Structures are given as structure tokens and as C-alpha cells.
Amino acid sequence: MSGQSLLVPGEITPVRSVPGNIRRPEYVGKPAPTPYTGPEIQDADTIERMRIAGRIAAQAMEEAAKHIAPGVTTDELDRVAHEFMIDHGAYPSTLGYRGFPKSLCSSLNEVICHGIPDSTVLRDGDIVNLDVTAYINGVHGDNNATYLCGDVDEESRLLVERTRESLNRAIKAVKPGRQINVIGRVIESYAKRFGYGVVRDFTGHGINSSFHSGLIIPHYDSPNATTVMQPGMTFTIEPMLTLGTHEYDMWEDGWTVVTKDRKRTAQFEETLVVTETGAEILTLP
């Protein structure tokens, strides 16, 4: 594995502004969102609006990823995604969600998820996960991907490639009438072929007008995930695979989650809707 030194927290810049004419999610300015009580199955109008939100999120992530290079700060990546979403009339869903101070999550190397963009400078050989969610027309679209920065060692490159493949396989497993645990079963069985850990305590989730609806999508074979998938259900799948343990520590910021053994980890995510025959990805650029 890469001999990179471990990450340490950087300096966080002031909160970026959002024009007043852009609609905010209801949780902005509150300590927590109002619990979602609506349906997990969405109507055609909601799904169409989620396609728009998903497309903007995917495009914002792509735009930020173009700037990934040694010497660039994670805060600069946040700026690019923030400005893209604002320019397209969308609110960055993470900004102000339970007090999160930035418009995307940037999780490098041993960071599993929820890294806060700051003065951290990308290094040659890093792997960089960007997690971007956009809110527009009353709904959210959520996606993430792990990118290579410069010359990345083969073990890390394979981890990234195989994590993407685990998501692809999970999406193909989505079918109406199947229980949600088929998703985690597919991911876990694939990851085990390579000796990878599968993060258990951070999951996919229902998404619609709510950022996290309460529906949980485990990435391991959970006997409790017996909800049956039905056409119109909308949720994310976002496997987090590790080179070592699935156990984790949390930084003092209350957000940044790192592998307990500090080995590298990768993640990919799409927002999906269950169709009559399978799944449609809503976060397509």
C-alpha cells in the first residue's frame, strides 16, 4: 500500500454563501431535519424532479473532479462544486445539514466518509472520494465517486476499481419483489473475493424530498433488511470497501470517519429508482 502519511485536520474556511432566491431544505439553520413521514414510493412527478437534482449533483461532482491534482486543496474542490450547484439553481444539500459546514464531503485515503473540505492539500498518490448532493425543486439527488490523484499504487487502484464494480453489481441486483438485503449480499460476496472489509455502520438510504428518509440500505448481508423493493422506491446504494477492517474511529469534528487500522478505503454511490424490471440511475450527468 502507499506509504503516504496519515491525514490530519486542516483549516476550514468560512461558510460559503447561497443566494436568497435558491430554495433551502427545511433543515438548514436547525440542529436536525424533521423526521420524514411520507412514502418511500414516489410518484412520476417526484421522480422526474429527482432526475434533475441527480443530474446537477453528478455534473457538479464531475466538475470538481476535473480539479483533482497534487497541490490542490479539498476546499478548492468544495468551491467548484458549490459554485456549479448555485449557478444551476440548486442548493448544496450537505451545507447546514446537522451543522455540516461545506457543500460536499471530501474523503481521502483512510477516510471512510464525511470528510470536511479544508486546507488539506492533495498529494500525488492519494485517492479522493467526493460526495455531492443537490437540492432543487423540493427534492435531493445524491452521488459520490472515488478518484485517483496522480500516480496511485496498484493496490489502491484495484480497490477503487472493485468498489465501483461492487456498486454496479448491486444495482443489477435491484428488482421489484426482492428484499433489500440482496443488495448487501451481492456487495459483501464480491468484496470477500479480495479480502476487503465492508463498512457496516454507514449505509445507503431512502431519498426524495428528504435527504435521508429513514429507509436503510445495508452493504452487507443483513438479516434485518427485509423490506421488499417496489416500483417507485427511491434510495441510494453507496458501498464503502476497505483494505483492512470495517471498524472505524471518528475525528473530534464529529464527522470525519477513518478506518481503525488506517488502511485505505473507497466508496461509490448512485441515487436509484426501482422500475418494473430493475433500477434506473437518477444521478447521471
Side-chain angles (χ1 to χ4, degrees), residues 3-177:
Q4 296 279 46
S5 58
L6 297 178
L7 293 164
V8 295
E11 295 295 321
I12 299 175
T13 59
V15 172
R16 293 190 161 86
S17 63
V18 178
N21 64 315
I22 292 180
R23 178 178 172 184
R24 273 81 167 147
E26 59 83 23
Y27 52 74
V28 174
K30 296 164 53 177
T34 302
Y36 179 71
T37 57
E40 297 296 350
I41 297 171
Q42 305 306 312
D43 61 25
D45 173 68
T46 302
I47 292 167
E48 179 55 35
R49 285 184 283 128
M50 288 182 69
R51 286 190 187 97
I52 295 169
R55 182 170 65 247
I56 292 171
Q59 290 173 339
M61 184 174 72
E62 279 195 343
E63 194 61 32
K66 291 176 185 176
H67 294 75
I68 291 175
V72 175
T73 65
T74 54
D75 187 68
E76 173 65 9
L77 303 180
D78 181 80
R79 183 194 65 78
V80 172
H82 178 92
E83 292 182 358
F84 185 95
M85 285 185 273
I86 298 309
D87 288 347
H88 289 77
Y91 185 91
S93 301
T94 60
L95 185 62
Y97 179 78
R98 296 183 181 271
F100 192 84
K102 290 294 172 180
S103 298
L104 57 71
C105 300
S106 56
S107 302
L108 279 58
N109 301 338
E110 70 270 21
V111 179
I112 294 171
C113 58
H114 303 158
I116 301 174
D118 59 17
S119 61
T120 297
V121 175
L122 300 181
R123 301 165 298 181
D124 185 61
D126 283 342
I127 59 173
V128 184
N129 180 271
L130 301 181
D131 192 336
V132 180
T133 311
Y135 177 80
I136 190 170
N137 299 325
V139 296
H140 301 268
D142 185 4
N143 68 163
N144 77 55
T146 303
Y147 300 91
L148 309 180
C149 181
D151 184 17
V152 174
D153 66 274
E154 183 180 17
E155 185 179 38
S156 298
R157 286 191 291 105
L158 286 172
L159 174 68
V160 171
E161 180 183 306
R162 290 165 176 165
T163 304
R164 175 73 237 191
E165 177 61 16
S166 78
L167 174 58
N168 294 343
R169 290 173 181 235
I171 292 171
K172 289 177 182 175
V174 172
K175 295 282 191 300

